[in-house]
């Protein structure tokens, strides 16, 4: 019987065998880290350090100035050598703190034993999550303390923990679920307390049977937490797709999961919440899968935030002979990098290195109107129409047929036999739409 | 049989007369006074509907200019002639507007500027800026997909083999549509009577520029030095020098020294470079 699923979606090759059995390894302490002040959706914090300052691991480097903002923390002990714009994996150069490590490890005081979180008030828990700088570790990096503060008129009924990890190649969440199941479950219970929900579901794709059975055995006695085996299909881990698969509810166009009483958190985020609330440990390290045919040895690594891609790839044996592409994230939604001098962010779940064969792009050709993208679209859109309109400058018409509902999962571009850059057109349309809305707002 | 035909004809005829009278009365009672000048203005406009004036097409401009929404000389492609004709129709003063021409403020072509990545996405400049800020090493430089060429309503631009756009100055009317189209702000309008412009918009200094482009302005400010350029015709705005055209008396002689001193050859010269010109390799009409 297939697991729970949603309409649409595609079946890319999984390519997870290379790393799914490899335990998480500790990456060597980097000599230098580059920590951008903006690693989340929202406003960057105000920088608290200057060139020449000594910092300790876990020390905050910025202070949030707005509600939708989180601090960043030093991930190694050493001296600040520069506060300047540096290449950022999401494009452009952004203000970053560069720390040169002195090789020692001097952490700020974190609690040695688990603080009894049951005794903490909801506000205290939220403050700890915010102070730890937690922003969704699944990739979108939305500040977690904002996400878990829904308005009172929209109560959350079901909390969904996202362990789908539908992106090919990546196994960071899979390994974390196997190795830190207790921490993840504690993080989940903390979230349930904060949100006052009595029902939680852990959604895991069926290609991770070991994780499903482990989670099932750990939650056997707890009737409030269920495990939902999901059909193996991309983008099963998309927020709206996961809600549809687990609960059968459809998030309305332009709405948020809270509109249907759901809230989705990544398993990595849940584990960081556990560490932040129970040990007061800020988010300065995360699990990253370094993988792909372009790297000598694929690995799952525990990495300090701000470690440069080049250091991690060197630790994995370096590039193979035919490397052509380095991608931040997975092959479907990740963004190719022009340099490996970019740092790991809070939302970096993987570094994918492709070789000539796997990374080659075929030339774009005209749409043949086969409608495979329409079948594949998990948001029930018509990517062919939307992209066609944007291509000829008619993005305003494209907004009318759902341009802004697109989640940019890449299913359409993946399945397109004409190799159309569908997602790129949609991104362009969205950018033009945002620009025009900003201009209209300015006039009023 | 004959009677019914006559009856029908009579009925239809009567109805026709009735409605004719009705319409005649209505056209008098509900008549909207139309300014005849609108039609006259429309007749003298170039009717290319470029949108440079801000109105949606020439008819919109004619309507607006009669109601004082636009100045009489706002039609850029029409130039002085149209401005004069429009002013005459409206009975207003003619204010002469300096004719302008579009220039490309980037000289980093395929040989001179570094490509830092292979780009295989949508072939539009705006789209390229969305992916890692473009594949060109210089994040201020021309991306070379020709959004400006596409936007030009007068066919006055073409994309050259070297990856930079070229302006045919005889066709350019200075409407500024290319300026709006360029996501990097490289296209600029300058007075037609002037010769020299700064062909770089990079905000980076020295080494950062040199590492990605051999003709990028390094911000040395030699050109703004009073010894190079007299009476402050060039000043530094942040890192990039700005030519103040109102202070330039002789378009070439005043600025020649700045062009020749520039260590990175970041000045562009319109038209042929006057003698002694052996040193500066400047292709005709476009940026050096």
């Amino acid at each position: 019987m297939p697991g729970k699923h949603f309409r649409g979606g595609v079946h890319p090759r999984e390519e997870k065998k290379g790393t799914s059995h490899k335990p998480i390894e500790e990456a060597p302490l980097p000599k230098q880290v580059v920590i951008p002040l903006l690693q989340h959706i929202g406003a960057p914090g105000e920088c608290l350090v200057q060139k020449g300052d000594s910092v300790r691991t876990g020390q905050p480097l910025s202070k949030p100035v707005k509600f939708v903002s989180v601090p960043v923390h030093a991930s190694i002990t050493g001296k600040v050598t520069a506060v300047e714009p540096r290449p950022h994996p999401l494009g452009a150069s952004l203000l970053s703190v560069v720390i040169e490590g002195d090789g020692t490890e001097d952490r700020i005081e974190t609690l040695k034993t688990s603080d009894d979180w049951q005794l903490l008030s909801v506000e205290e828990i939220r403050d700890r999550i915010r102070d730890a700088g937690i922003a969704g570790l699944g990739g979108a990096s939305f500040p977690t303390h904002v996400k878990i503060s829904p308005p009172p008129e929209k109560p959350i009924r079901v909390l969904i923990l996202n362990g789908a990890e539908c992106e090919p190649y990546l196994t960071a969440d899979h390994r974390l679920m196997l190795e830190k199941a207790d921490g993840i479950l504690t993080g989940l219970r903390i979230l349930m307390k904060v949100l006052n929900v009595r029902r939680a579901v852990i959604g895991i794709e069926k290609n991770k049977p070991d994780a499903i059975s482990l989670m099932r055995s750990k939650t056997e006695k707890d009737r409030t937490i269920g495990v939902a085996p999901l059909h193996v299909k991309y983008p099963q881990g998309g927020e709206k797709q996961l809600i549809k698969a687990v609960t059968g509810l459809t998030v309305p166009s332009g709405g948020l999961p809270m509109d249907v009483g759901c809230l989705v958190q990544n398993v990595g985020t849940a584990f960081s919440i556990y560490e932040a609330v129970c040990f007061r440990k800020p988010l300065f390290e995360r699990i990253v899968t370094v993988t792909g045919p372009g790297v000598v040895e694929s690995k799952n690594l525990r990495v300090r935030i701000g470690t440069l891609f080049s250091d991690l790839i060197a630790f994995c044996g370096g590039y193979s002979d035919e490397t052509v592409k380095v991608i931040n994230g997975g092959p479907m939604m990740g963004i190719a990098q022009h340099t490996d001098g970019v740092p790991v962010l809070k939302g970096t779940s993987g570094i994918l290195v492709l070789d000539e064969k796997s990374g080659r792009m075929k030339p774009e050709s005209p749409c043949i109107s086969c409608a495979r993208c329409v079948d594949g679209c998990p948001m029930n859109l018509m990517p062919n129409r939307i992209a066609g309109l944007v291509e000829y400058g008619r993005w305003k018409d494209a907004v009318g047929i759902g341009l802004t509902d697109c989640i940019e999962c890449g299913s359409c571009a993946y399945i397109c036999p004409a190799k159309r850059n569908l997602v790129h057109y949609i991104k362009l349309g969205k950018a033009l739409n945002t620009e025009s809305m900003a201009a209209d707002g300015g006039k009023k | 049989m004959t009677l019914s035909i006559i009856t029908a004809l009579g009925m239809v005829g009567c109805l026709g007369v009735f409605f004719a009278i009705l319409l005649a009365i209505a056209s008098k009672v509900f008549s909207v006074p139309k300014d005849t000048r609108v039609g006259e203005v429309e007749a003298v406009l170039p009717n290319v509907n470029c949108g440079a004036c801000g109105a949606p097409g020439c008819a919109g401009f004619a309507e607006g200019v009669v109601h004082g929404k636009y100045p009489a000389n706002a039609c850029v492609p029409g130039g002085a002639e149209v401005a004069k004709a429009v002013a005459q129709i409206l009975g207003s003063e003619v204010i002469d507007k300096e004719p302008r021409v579009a220039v490309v403020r980037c000289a980093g072509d395929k040989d001179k500027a570094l490509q830092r990545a292979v780009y295989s996405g949508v072939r539009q400049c705006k789209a390229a800026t969305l992916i890692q800020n473009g594949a060109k090493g210089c994040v201020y430089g021309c991306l070379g997909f020709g959004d400006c060429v596409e936007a030009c309503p007068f066919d006055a631009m073409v994309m050259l083999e070297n990856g930079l756009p070229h302006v045919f100055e005889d066709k350019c009317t200075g409407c500024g549509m290319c300026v709006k189209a360029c996501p990097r702000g490289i296209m600029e309008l300058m007075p037609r009577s002037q010769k020299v412009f700064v062909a770089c918009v990079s905000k980076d200094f020295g080494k950062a520029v040199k590492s990605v482009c051999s003709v990028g302005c390094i911000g040395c400010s030699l050109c703004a030095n009073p010894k190079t350029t007299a009476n402050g015709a060039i000043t530094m705005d942040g890192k990039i020098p700005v030519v103040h055209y109102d202070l330039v008396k002789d378009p070439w002689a005043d600025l020649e020294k700045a062009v020749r001193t520039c260590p990175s050859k970041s000045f562009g010269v319109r038209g042929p470079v006057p003698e002694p010109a052996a040193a500066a390799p400047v292709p005709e009409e476009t940026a050096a």
Side-chain angles (χ1 to χ4, degrees), chain A residues 297-362:
Chain A
E297 197 191 345
S298 300
K299 281 175 180 173
N300 295 303
L301 299 172
R302 179 173 289 107
V303 174
R304 297 296 166 95
I305 306 280
T307 310
L308 298 180
F309 281 22
S310 51
D311 290 350
L312 293 176
I313 290 164
F315 179 65
C316 292
Y319 295 111
S320 64
D321 295 337
E322 289 186 329
T323 303
V324 293
K325 204 181 240 185
V326 177
I327 295 173
N328 168 37
M332 299 296 282
M333 284 190 78
I335 294 178
Q337 303 295 313
H338 64 81
T339 164
D340 57 9
V342 290
V344 168
L345 305 182
K346 290 172 184 174
T348 307
S349 47
I351 300 171
L352 177 61
V353 190
L354 297 178
D355 62 2
E356 182 66 38
K357 188 164 160 263
S358 54
R360 187 180 47 210
M361 299 278 278
K362 290 194 182 118

Side-chain angles (χ1 to χ4, degrees), chain A residues 48-63:
Chain A
L48 295 174
V49 292
Q50 286 174 338
K51 188 179 171 182
D53 286 0
S54 290
V55 290
R56 299 161 70 194
T57 308
Q59 181 185 332
L61 299 175
S62 71
K63 183 176 79 181

Side-chain angles (χ1 to χ4, degrees), chain B:
Chain B
M1 179 68 187
T2 337
L3 188 72
S4 57
I5 292 174
I6 292 166
T7 319
L9 278 176
M11 290 283 276
V12 174
C14 287
L15 277 175
V17 172
F18 172 71
F19 283 118
I21 294 166
L22 204 72
L23 280 175
I25 295 168
S27 74
K28 283 272 181 264
V29 175
F30 300 111
S31 74
V32 180
K34 201 188 175 201
D35 202 326
T36 50
R37 293 179 299 172
V38 175
E40 286 171 44
V41 172
E42 219 180 319
V44 297
L45 292 177
N47 279 315
V48 280
N49 297 322
C50 68
C53 53
C58 291
F61 172 71
E63 186 82 38
V65 79
V66 168
H67 292 110
K69 222 170 123 192
Y70 307 105
N73 62 358
C75 178
V76 191
E81 256 172 67
V82 170
K84 214 165 136 189
V86 172
Q88 222 159 34
I89 294 163
L90 302 178
S92 63
E93 285 283 310
V94 190
I95 306 145
D96 252 341
K97 209 172 179 182
E98 163 90 75
R100 294 189 296 175
V101 64
V103 287
V104 183
R105 289 189 60 190
C106 177
D109 62 23
K110 278 186 183 146
D111 303 326
K112 295 180 186 122
L114 172 94
Q115 285 293 114
R116 64 183 179 186
V118 181
Y119 177 79
S120 51
V122 173
R123 302 195 73 74
Q124 289 181 22
C125 305
K126 176 82 201 174
T129 59
L130 297 176
I131 306 294
Q132 289 273 301
N133 220 351
K136 201 164 192 167
C138 173
V139 295
Y140 306 95
C142 174
L143 289 154
F145 297 114
D147 279 13
C148 49
V149 177
E150 204 63 31
C152 180
F154 299 98
D155 273 350
M157 293 187 79
V158 68
M159 211 66 212
L160 296 180
E161 282 284 293
N162 68 4
L164 289 179
H166 173 80
V167 180
F168 297 112
E169 296 201 343
D170 49 339
K171 284 190 192 166
C172 177
T173 61
C175 71
M177 295 310 276
C178 52
V179 179
K180 283 183 202 153
C182 180
R184 296 210 151 157
I186 285 163
M187 298 306 299
E188 193 178 270
L189 298 174
M190 68 178 279
R192 239 173 213 282
S193 56
Q194 294 287 336
K195 251 186 123 53
V196 176
F197 61 95
V198 183
C200 181
V201 294
S202 169
K203 291 194 178 80
D204 287 341
F205 283 93
K207 203 178 152 201
V209 176
K210 277 287 156 205
S211 62
V212 292
C213 180
S214 65
V215 288
C217 168
I218 53 171
C220 68
S221 79
L222 259 179
C223 53
N225 192 313
K227 283 178 196 156
T228 318
T229 313
N231 64 31
I234 296 181
T235 56
M236 298 302 283
D237 172 26
K239 176 240 155 178
I240 284 287
V242 181
V243 184
H244 299 280
Y245 292 117
D246 47 337
L247 299 175
V248 178
K249 289 188 194 95
D250 184 326
W252 177 244
D254 280 11
L255 301 169
E256 181 181 0
K257 206 168 170 199
V259 176
R260 300 222 191 276
T261 327
C262 179
S264 49
K265 301 273 170 281
S266 306
F267 278 99
V269 183
R270 290 176 54 228
V273 178
E275 292 294 320
V282 179
E284 209 185 320
E285 278 200 328
T286 184

Side-chain angles (χ1 to χ4, degrees), chain A residues 29-33 55-57 74-78 99-101 304:
Chain A
L29 211 57
K31 290 197 177 61
Q32 186 201 48
V33 289
V55 290
R56 299 161 70 194
T57 308
S75 55
I76 55 171
T77 305
I99 303 169
E100 210 73 55
R304 297 296 166 95

Side-chain angles (χ1 to χ4, degrees), chain A residues 201-257:
Chain A
V201 181
I202 307 171
I204 305 171
E205 270 194 359
K206 286 177 97 176
N207 59 1
K208 298 180 255 298
D210 43 355
I212 294 175
S213 57
L214 179 67
M215 283 296 174
R216 274 210 168 127
S217 67
K218 296 255 183 205
T219 57
E220 229 166 18
K221 297 210 175 71
D222 191 343
R223 300 193 58 180
T224 57
I225 300 176
V227 178
L230 306 167
H231 187 46
V232 181
K233 180 161 79 169
Y234 181 86
Q236 188 62 265
E239 197 170 52
K240 289 164 186 172
Q241 284 65 41
L242 189 61
I243 291 170
K244 179 80 192 170
V246 171
T247 66
L249 297 167
T250 307
V251 180
S253 165
L256 290 170

